[in-house]
Amino acid sequence: MVFDTSSINNSYKKKKLTSLLGEYSSEAVDYYKRLKGVKNIDLAMQLGVSESYIKKIISGKSHYNNTHLWILADYLDISVDRFFPPKNNFEQYRKIRPAATRDSYKQFMDLVLGGIE
């Protein structure tokens, strides 16, 4: 019997892509939160979650879901696309990840865009 590993590889790619996007989105929320002078408790109240849940997201142990991102975009008065990595816009990416280099941006986008295909 031949074992087909393609479904495992696809599942792994989807999990990795979800993790990459989740990490970036969490960092973007934190950036815009600080820019607008919003506190963790304010985000928690908007989402109907605990402040400890927000801290869990900030620490990388969890991620915002799509509904959270839409609610937060409205609350922070920004477009929801600001929570996702900008394609072909290194300077916008560096607002969220100031230590990023052009190479690290390219590698990240290759992973993300490769995971979508």
Side-chain angles (χ1 to χ4, degrees), residues 10-115:
N10 287 338
S11 176
Y12 174 76
K13 283 182 183 179
K14 285 179 186 175
K15 285 182 184 177
K16 184 160 179 72
L17 178 61
T18 300
S19 180
L20 286 171
L21 292 174
E23 288 169 14
Y24 183 88
S25 294
S26 297
E27 292 170 24
V29 168
D30 194 54
Y31 169 80
Y32 288 106
K33 173 192 82 170
R34 285 184 280 112
L35 193 66
K36 304 271 184 169
V38 174
K39 297 179 179 167
N40 290 342
I41 190 67
D42 300 322
L43 295 184
M45 289 176 63
Q46 286 299 310
L47 298 177
V49 299
S50 66
E51 187 176 6
S52 63
Y53 180 72
I54 299 298
K55 289 178 181 177
K56 189 175 177 183
I57 291 171
I58 291 169
S59 72
K61 295 177 183 169
S62 191
H63 301 294
Y64 295 104
N65 66 37
N66 290 338
T67 302
H68 291 157
L69 295 176
W70 279 98
I71 292 168
L72 293 176
D74 185 54
Y75 177 67
L76 296 170
D77 195 29
I78 60 172
S79 174
V80 73
D81 69 336
R82 293 292 183 172
F83 297 143
F84 296 93
K87 189 175 177 183
N88 301 320
N89 192 335
F90 174 66
E91 293 309 316
Q92 180 64 34
Y93 182 80
R94 281 203 49 188
K95 287 181 181 179
I96 307 304
R97 293 184 166 169
T101 64
R102 289 195 182 276
D103 285 342
S104 68
Y105 171 66
K106 182 182 179 329
Q107 288 173 346
F108 179 83
M109 293 309 293
D110 286 348
L111 285 170
V112 168
L113 295 175

